[in-house]
Amino acid sequence: MDKKYDLEERLVRFAGETIKFCNSLGDTFAEIHLRNQLIRSATGACLKLW
């Protein structure tokens, strides 16, 4: 069985799903802080590939 590991595609998909999740969070100070940190962390690796 030959598996294809397309890291770039998986990281882009992960970043998109993370952003969708973060949009569902509320607007308290803690949620805004964590949302921003999570988005930066999830999208950082994806952007380094480009």
Side-chain angles (χ1 to χ4, degrees):
M1 180 192 276
D2 185 27
K3 290 186 177 181
K4 180 181 176 188
Y5 295 102
D6 188 359
L7 184 59
E8 182 178 356
E9 180 180 327
R10 289 172 33 200
L11 285 171
V12 170
R13 183 176 296 133
F14 175 72
E17 292 298 320
T18 302
I19 291 170
K20 286 181 191 176
F21 168 74
C22 287
N23 284 335
S24 70
L25 296 176
D27 288 328
T28 67
F29 177 79
E31 289 169 320
I32 292 170
H33 177 74
L34 293 173
R35 175 177 50 220
N36 292 337
Q37 186 174 355
L38 180 58
I39 289 174
R40 283 193 306 271
S41 298
T43 58
C46 173
L47 294 176
K48 288 183 181 187
L49 290 175
W50 294 40

